[in-house]
Amino acid sequence: MVKIIAEVGINHNGSLDIAKQLIDGAKEAGCDAVKFQKRNIDIVYTKEELDKLRESPWGTTNREQKMGLEFTLADYKEIDDYCKMKKISWFFSAWDVQSQRDMRVFSVPYNKVASAMLGHTELLKEIASEGKYTYISTGMSTFDELDVVVKLFRDMKCPFELMHCDSTYPMTNGMANLKMIKVLKDRYGCNVGYSGHEKGRVVSFAACVLGATSIERHITLNCTMYGSDQAASIEINELCKLVRDVRLIDEIMGDGNKAISPTEKSTREKLRYYNTLKV
């Protein structure tokens, strides 16, 4: 069965109330897990970058905007408790080694490597050292770069799944390049999912038909809310439809074995023409 991951990311806009509403929506839709992001902005960004002017609901600098979007460990403890109460799994993608270490206080079932972190060898080693099943997005990368990442996870005996991805926000349907799902499977011999940033549901459906083992989509309460990821997300009503239809695809695809189905037998008895000629 395709695993469906609802990516909250930073679409909570620093509000635990919004985060809980998104968790509620993911649970209602029937998602398997929700995912967040964690970063230490003083490690991830330079002082010069953080001091740049930027208007946001939290102030006039990049620092104020990025701090406004970050949850503390205490916030994540509340999220952890809430997900346990709602009986839905959660996990995260860390953007620096310290954040990965700090978040170990939570016994989440998976790890995630964001596309932007594929070249961060120290972080990759830190993640792989935990030995948890890890989803690895492949956006903005070359085969040479992916070869290095896959080798690292295999050398460290950490189970993983690649996720085909185009890191455009939002992505147009024509950029999806879903044939990469099979290409990645053939090249690396592993499960390959799809992490999407498009509007609508059709690309996700097609990814499932082409063999994606997981689907990750950013979710939001409203695509017009403040935030760089909101326009590349789907609202909860669309998420419910997405999960419903992906589960139908699971059923529709069948097992690939050629056999006369039980319901075909009576039709066969009535309509089958038997050729008496010898071949």
Side-chain angles (χ1 to χ4, degrees):
M1 179 180 289
V2 175
K3 186 173 289 292
I4 303 176
I5 301 162
E7 163 74 274
V8 174
I10 54 175
N11 281 353
H12 50 70
N13 281 349
S15 165
L16 279 170
D17 180 61
I18 292 175
K20 289 176 182 179
Q21 289 182 63
L22 291 170
I23 292 168
D24 290 343
K27 176 66 177 180
E28 176 190 353
C31 294
D32 297 291
V34 291
K35 192 186 84 66
F36 291 83
Q37 295 178 13
K38 185 71 177 81
R39 70 191 90 189
N40 184 317
I41 67 167
D42 288 305
I43 295 174
V44 175
Y45 303 100
T46 64
K47 182 179 184 302
E48 291 72 23
E49 180 66 24
L50 293 173
D51 287 344
K52 287 181 180 177
L53 294 177
R54 182 173 189 172
E55 293 289 337
S56 76
W58 302 279
T60 58
T61 65
N62 259 342
R63 174 179 292 278
E64 289 170 305
Q65 189 261 1
K66 294 186 184 304
M67 285 297 295
L69 292 171
E70 280 301 314
F71 280 153
T72 65
L73 288 182
D75 293 330
Y76 275 115
K77 175 65 170 65
E78 192 165 336
I79 286 168
D80 185 54
D81 290 341
Y82 194 75
C83 287
K84 286 175 180 174
M85 182 182 72
K86 288 291 180 175
K87 294 182 168 53
I88 186 169
S89 296
W90 77 279
F91 62 113
F92 61 91
S93 55
W95 285 51
D96 60 272
V97 172
Q98 190 58 54
S99 290
Q100 185 70 33
R101 291 172 178 167
D102 289 344
M103 294 289 278
R104 282 182 184 152
V105 297
F106 307 109
S107 299
V108 298
Y110 315 111
N111 273 319
K112 174 71 190 291
V113 176
S115 295
M117 296 296 107
L118 289 172
H120 194 330
T121 303
E122 186 183 2
L123 176 59
L124 295 175
K125 288 181 177 178
E126 193 71 28
I127 292 170
S129 71
E130 296 182 10
K132 292 180 181 177
Y133 194 89
T134 301
Y135 293 93
I136 303 173
S137 282
T138 61
M140 307 180 290
S141 65
T142 65
F143 278 134
D144 287 344
E145 291 167 337
L146 290 179
D147 289 347
V148 173
V149 175
V150 167
K151 183 177 186 303
L152 185 154
F153 273 78
R154 286 197 163 131
D155 286 349
M156 295 187 70
K157 296 180 170 46
C158 181
F160 67 91
E161 176 170 329
L162 298 178
M163 301 190 89
H164 170 55
C165 175
D166 182 289
S167 300
T168 307
Y169 295 75
M171 183 199 78
T172 62
N173 289 352
M175 300 168 69
N177 193 21
L178 291 184
K179 288 183 178 179
M180 277 301 302
I181 292 172
K182 184 177 187 304
V183 171
L184 290 170
K185 281 188 176 183
D186 290 346
R187 184 180 180 94
Y188 298 110
C190 65
N191 285 343
V192 176
Y194 172 68
S195 178
H197 307 118
E198 73 278 4
K199 297 179 180 180
R201 310 190 306 274
V202 66
V203 176
S204 295
F205 301 154
C208 292
V209 172
L210 290 172
T213 46
S214 60
I215 297 292
E216 178 188 68
R217 293 294 304 274
H218 286 253
I219 64 170
T220 179
L221 296 182
N222 189 316
C223 290
T224 65
M225 289 173 66
Y226 175 88
S228 57
D229 294 350
Q230 307 285 2
S233 305
I234 56 175
E235 297 176 6
I236 299 304
N237 63 328
E238 281 288 290
L239 178 67
C240 291
K241 295 173 184 176
L242 173 67
V243 176
R244 177 199 66 196
D245 291 346
V246 167
R247 297 308 182 213
L248 283 176
I249 292 171
D250 277 330
E251 181 180 348
I252 289 166
M253 292 301 291
D255 59 13
N257 293 319
K258 179 59 180 167
I260 300 171
S261 71
T263 51
E264 279 186 308
K265 288 181 179 178
S266 61
T267 305
R268 175 185 170 94
E269 289 172 2
K270 294 176 185 177
L271 302 178
R272 184 69 168 183
Y273 178 80
Y274 293 93
N275 192 339
T276 57
L277 295 176
K278 302 288 187 180
V279 176

